[in-house]
Amino acid sequence: MILETERLLLKPYEHEFADEIYRVVKHKEIADTMVMIPHPYPREVVDSWISYLQKSFEQGTAYEFAVFLKENGRYIGNCGLVAISKNHKNAEVGYFIDVPEWGKGYATEACKKIMDYGFKEHQLNRVYSRCMVRNIASRKVMEKSGMVWEGRHKQEFLKGDVYEDMDYLAILAEDYFKDKE
């Protein structure tokens, strides 16, 4: 299954993408504001991460996609539904985009497509996301995707030796579809 937007192709992860993924995830700037990406990022971790993503996809616990530019087929990041709760019909949207591609709207474009996928294909009731308070660009992606601010969790996450506050934004299916009418 491939999801398509105006400028992007979102594909399920394959091991053949490993070197391209490593080229992106090894950037300190990406790890700096991501909860689960360490720096330095060991190359050998990429292969086990892809296996984990494939297993999660098969089990329906997460649907993460590799993001490629249509124009040249280059891998530029990740976007997907993570932490899916089938019982409660909600999921978190997670994403990252390669540093040279920041500010071009790719994260918002991918996020909107993943939200559409979640609401239409998986009948989710709620999609949410979170970001470190200092990650203003990520918060803007969430807002441009239609999510609204729900609250702040103080010192929720320890990054290095600094506790990070996290902002939570979300959208409900009823609001998502109301905006589509």
Side-chain angles (χ1 to χ4, degrees):
M1 161 197 319
I2 295 175
L3 304 179
E4 187 173 344
T5 70
E6 182 182 337
R7 302 178 296 166
L8 306 172
L9 293 174
L10 286 70
K11 304 176 183 180
Y13 276 89
E14 299 291 341
H15 284 283
E16 66 192 56
F17 306 158
D19 289 336
E20 292 180 81
I21 294 166
Y22 180 67
R23 178 187 51 76
V24 173
V25 297
K26 69 180 183 180
H27 290 287
K28 186 178 194 296
E29 296 91 338
I30 290 177
D32 183 51
T33 56
M34 297 294 296
V35 171
M36 300 302 293
I37 296 180
H39 186 79
Y41 197 103
R43 169 58 182 87
E44 59 273 11
V45 172
V46 175
D47 296 307
S48 60
W49 184 61
I50 293 170
S51 294
Y52 167 79
L53 294 176
Q54 290 173 333
K55 186 175 182 182
S56 298
F57 210 102
E58 290 169 13
Q59 294 174 339
T61 55
Y63 299 101
E64 293 192 60
F65 292 84
V67 179
F68 294 87
L69 291 176
K70 273 186 181 178
E71 68 180 356
N72 59 17
R74 192 167 69 78
Y75 174 84
I76 62 163
N78 170 283
C79 190
L81 299 170
V82 299
I84 294 174
S85 171
K86 291 179 183 179
N87 289 342
H88 303 293
K89 295 190 168 278
N90 68 50
E92 179 179 357
V93 173
Y95 49 85
F96 64 81
I97 297 293
D98 196 5
V99 176
E101 305 303 335
W102 286 0
K104 298 179 182 177
Y106 294 132
T108 301
E109 193 171 324
C111 192
K112 285 179 176 181
K113 187 63 178 183
I114 289 297
M115 288 169 51
D116 193 65
Y117 172 73
F119 285 124
K120 291 179 178 175
E121 299 299 319
H122 297 284
Q123 293 74 49
L124 295 176
N125 179 60
R126 180 173 180 272
V127 171
Y128 67 96
S129 196
R130 61 189 172 142
C131 66
M132 294 177 190
V133 170
R134 63 185 169 87
N135 193 347
I136 296 164
S138 187
R139 177 154 174 181
K140 286 181 182 177
V141 167
M142 293 177 222
E143 291 170 341
K144 288 178 184 178
S145 298
M147 293 183 226
V148 295
W149 190 74
E150 289 190 327
R152 178 168 292 165
H153 293 203
K154 296 286 212 168
Q155 297 185 10
E156 179 182 21
F157 182 75
L158 182 62
K159 184 76 175 181
D161 59 354
V162 176
Y163 285 99
E164 299 280 353
D165 295 349
M166 302 292 283
D167 277 345
Y168 279 74
L169 287 83
I171 186 169
L172 300 176
E174 62 192 46
D175 297 323
Y176 176 82
F177 288 112
K178 182 171 43 176
D179 291 344
K180 303 291 179 209
E181 295 173 353

